[in-house]
């Protein structure tokens, strides 16, 4: 029996679900993104709100992880996390990042780049208060990205924090939101024969320039 790695080069897929061209795409990339996100939600793709976040540390090593989008408007794209985690520390040193959505079932990818900053404490407080109690306790219990001796550390921390805060845990000072302000978007639609559609939007003198890229 052959191993999975021996068949990787033979894997193929023909992309034929949809198309993307300049006449059917929105002039504003945020509107195009909202359209595609809405279609992903309507199509019930698994976790349509999941996005890959890429950051770069002071050692110039890139790292990625999956986070969940929690807000999107003209101000930018928002997610929440532990500010003392690896991503939080890397963003503190280098405030530029990239996001990627991959909606496999729709044969679509959206890539977004821009500068990142913290959201206001008021926004972070409001979102934290909306989270389930277990998630709020978990934000206190987990020293995210730190080495721990075992899962029992998390369980013990959660019990201690639950007893301490009962039903009203406040937002930890090390936890809150980030907002990426896009200056570049790219929308990718899979097409037949690998002649995929790629539209890039880049900010130039305060206006969005839309251009097609070769696949």
């Amino acid at each position: 029996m052959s191993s999975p790695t021996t068949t990787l080069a033979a894997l193929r897929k023909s992309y034929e679900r949809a198309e993307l061209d300049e006449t059917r795409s929105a002039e504003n990339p945020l509107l195009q993104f909202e359209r595609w996100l809405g279609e992903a939600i309507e199509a019930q793709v698994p976790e349509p709100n999941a996005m890959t976040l890429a950051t770069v540390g002071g050692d110039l090593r890139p790292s990625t992880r999956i986070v969940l989008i929690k807000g999107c408007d003209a101000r930018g794209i928002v997610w929440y996390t532990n500010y003392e985690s690896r991503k939080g520390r890397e963003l503190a040193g280098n405030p530029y990042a990239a996001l990627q959505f991959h909606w496999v079932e729709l044969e679509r990818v959206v890539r977004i780049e821009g500068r990142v900053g913290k959201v206001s404490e008021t926004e972070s407080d409001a979102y934290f208060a909306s989270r389930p109690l277990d998630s709020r306790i978990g934000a206190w219990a987990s020293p995210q990205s730190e080495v721990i001796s075992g899962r029992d550390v998390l369980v013990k921390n959660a019990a201690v924090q639950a007893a301490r805060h009962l039903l009203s845990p406040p937002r930890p000072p090390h936890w809150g939101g980030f907002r990426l302000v896009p200056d570049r978007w790219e929308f990718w639609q899979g097409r037949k024969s690998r002649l995929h559609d790629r539209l890039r939007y880049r900010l130039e003198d305060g206006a969005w320039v839309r251009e097609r890229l070769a696949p």
Side-chain angles (χ1 to χ4, degrees), residues 6-84:
T6 62
T7 61
L8 287 177
L11 291 176
R12 296 285 188 276
K13 178 180 180 179
S14 181
Y15 300 93
E16 302 179 22
R17 290 184 59 91
E19 61 184 47
L20 177 67
D21 62 38
E22 294 81 349
T23 63
R24 298 184 182 183
S25 62
E27 293 184 4
N28 186 305
L30 176 61
L31 298 180
Q32 181 64 36
F33 174 71
E34 290 177 335
R35 179 186 302 170
W36 272 18
L37 177 60
E39 291 175 0
I41 294 172
E42 184 177 356
Q44 298 183 333
V45 304
E47 296 194 277
N49 56 333
M51 58 186 183
T52 300
L53 165 65
T55 57
V56 177
D59 56 1
L60 303 184
R61 293 176 66 97
S63 61
T64 64
R65 73 286 291 163
I66 302 297
V67 296
L68 301 178
I69 183 174
K70 291 299 179 181
C72 178
D73 56 28
R75 296 173 299 166
I77 295 175
V78 174
W79 67 94
Y80 291 86
T81 190
N82 187 318
Y83 289 142
E84 297 176 356

